[in-house]
Amino acid sequence: MAYRRISPPGGSADDYRYTQPILKKGRACVNCRRRKMKCDGVQPTCGSCLRTEKAEDCEYTTGSERSTSQRLEDEVHRLQARLRDLQMPTDSQQGIILQQPYAPGPVERHQVSLFREPPRHIAQQILDIFLAHASQFGFFLHPGRFKNSVVLPASVGHESRPAPSLLSTMYLFGIHLSQDPEIKRHEKTYFDLAIQHVAQDTSSTTTHPKHRLHVIQAEVLLTHYFFGNKRPVEGKYHSNAAYSLAIASGIHRMKTRNPPESTLPTTADDIEEGERVNAYWAIFCADNEWAGVFNCNPNIPSSATPTNIRLVTPMPREIEEYESGRYRCEMRDGHTLDDFLAGREAPGEPLSSQALHAKAAFLFERGRAFSRMLGMELSSRQRNDFGDNFHHIRNLALGLKSTSPPLDTWLRNPNIDAVRTAYVGITLLDAALIRLHGAAAAQGDDKARQQRVITAQEIINNAVRLASASWNFGFLNPIIGFAWREAFDVLFEELRNRHAAQSSWPARHSSSHSEDPFRRQLRKGVASFSIYSNSSSFIRGEVEEMTNSLQGGSPIFFG
């Protein structure tokens, strides 16, 4: 086997060391080939995948064999093509058929009858764990009604109980969130059940009255499960599936309780109407959030879409608010995304934590899009359009921040789900502003650079304040890990710049040995973030990277 000779940094060609073996072409693992990283070829898991916490993605193929991730990517491309068909329908448009990417063939229908739930007392414990944190993972159904349907003594698949796909996904998520090792050891079992039942329920012709909505809910939960566990290809697959089902169901057209475009059964009351409204926005938030993280385009376009895809569903409310009857769709003209974008929202409706989250998710993704466009070559007309759109979105974000209740106001809300969602929304909005201020600073706006630093400090300070006041939300939407990292990177860069400037000063002007305020702020921030390291692998990974940066041995921190 051949070895490669390289010179050490600053060394001569005669000073060399040997590195890892050079693999023959095609011998690297699929994950390293895709990421263009060096691979040592060790099986079953190579060193590169182990170091970057990608062990579950490390696999080897031979000949023309396709890897699991390649098959999943094929499914993502197929679903995206299906979404394009939905956005540009033809007269002969057929119904949606989603395929199961995890198994070679169709799932047998008798498997539902073989689905054994946990013992009743364990099932109740899992359900309670799930419902305590479900709002952070896109759960849009009424918690009380859902809980009652789960504990009914009827068999799995009965129309009075959740659809099998949702029931098994609920158990999967509850087990995943549990801290009991005896419960957690069953996660793989319910993972397999959830994947099988979602595939089966998607193509089912059952008469279950909430079947389609329950499948959408299961897909949304799986979207969060995979993204939170740093498995973006599968997360994207389930996000695409949820969106496809939402468009086919007509929940994006909820201008009235039962719009003519709807393919769902007639709603029974205001709560069921609210569930459908919130279902669409749960998909919207996840789609925009993770598109912003992974620098890809969201499934859900915000404008210039065909009439049948155009979003007219009003902004979401807390699920309990729909019981009052004051938030029926036909009574909420002036409260759509288009109204927000055009600055013509109707007065008189207080901002809900759900609406704050939805608006922040949209602005977060837009900030990503503008940042990405900065390095592109644009025509004169494109530059003008870019400038107009950029300033409009930035002003929307600043306006939302100035008119939203501060965190202290939200903390007085007795609804813990609303408080958690509002905190995520506030943090995500600040992360959007960091990106937008950064784009303005890149174009020479010095004030925007200062605003970027101030906004990053606000994210850190909010987390520290919550920790100091003994607030512990338990589990948070994994997207918040990325927002925290955005703030950390801004302040870490500022700290490095300050140190570089100070190191050039004459010795008589050097500062004392007291801890730099920026460093102290970062240290307290990371300590506050670490409280939620158990929320998901994604948050844990972000916290570990920030911790490693602080402990990197730089003279900034050790002098």
Side-chain angles (χ1 to χ4, degrees), residues 205-226:
T205 58
T206 180
T207 57
H208 189 299
K210 284 196 169 185
H211 178 82
R212 179 70 66 85
L213 199 64
H214 284 187
V215 177
I216 293 174
Q217 179 67 91
E219 294 284 14
V220 171
L221 290 171
L222 288 171
T223 297
H224 283 272
Y225 179 86
F226 283 115

Side-chain angles (χ1 to χ4, degrees), residues 490-523:
V490 169
L491 298 184
F492 189 74
E493 177 188 6
E494 190 71 12
L495 184 59
R496 294 180 69 91
N497 292 338
R498 288 173 57 153
H499 174 77
Q502 290 174 1
S503 64
S504 64
W505 294 351
R508 64 178 179 273
H509 293 302
S510 61
S511 60
S512 67
H513 292 288
S514 60
E515 185 178 32
D516 186 290
F518 266 47
R519 182 197 178 226
R520 182 167 59 251
Q521 189 175 31
L522 284 172
R523 180 172 51 77

Side-chain angles (χ1 to χ4, degrees), residues 127-156:
L127 174 61
D128 290 341
I129 293 171
F130 170 77
L131 287 177
H133 308 287
S135 64
Q136 292 301 289
F137 306 102
F139 188 73
F140 53 76
L141 298 174
H142 188 279
R145 291 185 175 185
F146 177 75
K147 183 174 184 176
N148 291 338
S149 68
V150 172
V151 301
L152 284 174
S155 61
V156 175

Side-chain angles (χ1 to χ4, degrees), residues 124 181 219 231 255 258 300 352 489:
Q124 182 69 57
E219 294 284 14
R231 297 170 67 170
K255 197 167 185 177
N258 296 292
I300 302 174
S352 69
D489 287 346

Side-chain angles (χ1 to χ4, degrees), residues 464-485:
V464 172
R465 282 172 53 224
L466 287 175
S468 300
S470 299
W471 273 89
N472 186 342
F473 295 123
F475 292 89
L476 286 172
N477 185 332
I479 192 66
I480 202 155
F482 190 85
W484 287 337
R485 180 65 183 273

Side-chain angles (χ1 to χ4, degrees), residues 272-307:
E272 288 193 5
E273 179 183 350
E275 287 178 332
R276 296 182 185 187
V277 171
N278 286 12
Y280 184 83
W281 289 105
I283 299 166
F284 178 94
C285 288
D287 182 45
N288 279 269
E289 287 166 354
W290 294 102
V293 170
F294 294 109
N295 275 324
C296 58
N297 293 325
N299 290 323
I300 302 174
S302 59
S303 60
T305 58
T307 302

Side-chain angles (χ1 to χ4, degrees), residues 302-527:
S302 59
S303 60
T305 58
T307 302
N308 70 309
I309 301 296
R310 190 77 181 187
L311 173 59
V312 299
T313 298
M315 284 286 175
R317 306 294 308 176
E318 321 304 345
I319 190 66
E320 296 83 5
E321 291 183 313
Y322 293 108
E323 296 181 55
S324 69
R326 293 187 293 114
Y327 295 104
R328 295 172 182 166
C329 292
E330 63 265 23
M331 300 165 57
R332 301 186 63 204
D333 285 339
H335 295 286
T336 66
L337 180 64
D338 277 352
D339 294 320
F340 170 64
L341 294 177
R344 59 169 185 260
E345 284 188 291
E349 186 172 302
L351 182 69
S352 69
S353 69
Q354 297 283 343
L356 172 60
H357 181 202
K359 292 174 181 178
F362 170 78
L363 293 167
F364 176 73
E365 189 283 323
R366 289 290 81 201
R368 183 277 317 173
F370 287 125
S371 298
R372 189 174 66 173
M373 290 180 66
L374 282 177
M376 299 172 60
E377 292 188 9
L378 303 175
S379 67
S380 176
R381 180 177 178 181
Q382 287 174 325
R383 282 196 299 272
N384 290 334
D385 290 342
F386 171 84
D388 291 342
N389 291 333
F390 171 75
H391 291 301
H392 175 64
I393 292 297
R394 189 179 178 207
N395 287 335
L396 276 178
L398 289 169
L400 179 60
K401 183 174 178 64
S402 66
T403 57
S404 299
L407 180 60
D408 286 341
T409 300
W410 288 107
L411 292 176
R412 292 194 291 269
N413 191 320
N415 184 338
I416 185 63
D417 285 337
V419 177
R420 273 191 295 225
T421 302
Y423 173 59
V424 171
I426 289 170
T427 308
L428 204 57
L429 176 59
D430 281 339
L433 282 166
I434 285 176
R435 290 186 168 194
L436 293 166
H437 291 325
Q443 299 175 74
D445 188 337
D446 289 336
K447 184 179 179 181
R449 189 191 69 80
Q450 298 172 357
Q451 290 175 308
R452 182 169 174 256
V453 172
I454 291 171
T455 304
Q457 288 177 311
E458 289 183 10
I459 290 179
I460 302 288
N461 289 340
N462 280 340
V464 172
R465 282 172 53 224
L466 287 175
S468 300
S470 299
W471 273 89
N472 186 342
F473 295 123
F475 292 89
L476 286 172
N477 185 332
I479 192 66
I480 202 155
F482 190 85
W484 287 337
R485 180 65 183 273
E486 290 267 284
F488 177 91
D489 287 346
V490 169
L491 298 184
F492 189 74
E493 177 188 6
E494 190 71 12
L495 184 59
R496 294 180 69 91
N497 292 338
R498 288 173 57 153
H499 174 77
Q502 290 174 1
S503 64
S504 64
W505 294 351
R508 64 178 179 273
H509 293 302
S510 61
S511 60
S512 67
H513 292 288
S514 60
E515 185 178 32
D516 186 290
F518 266 47
R519 182 197 178 226
R520 182 167 59 251
Q521 189 175 31
L522 284 172
R523 180 172 51 77
K524 289 182 177 180
V526 173

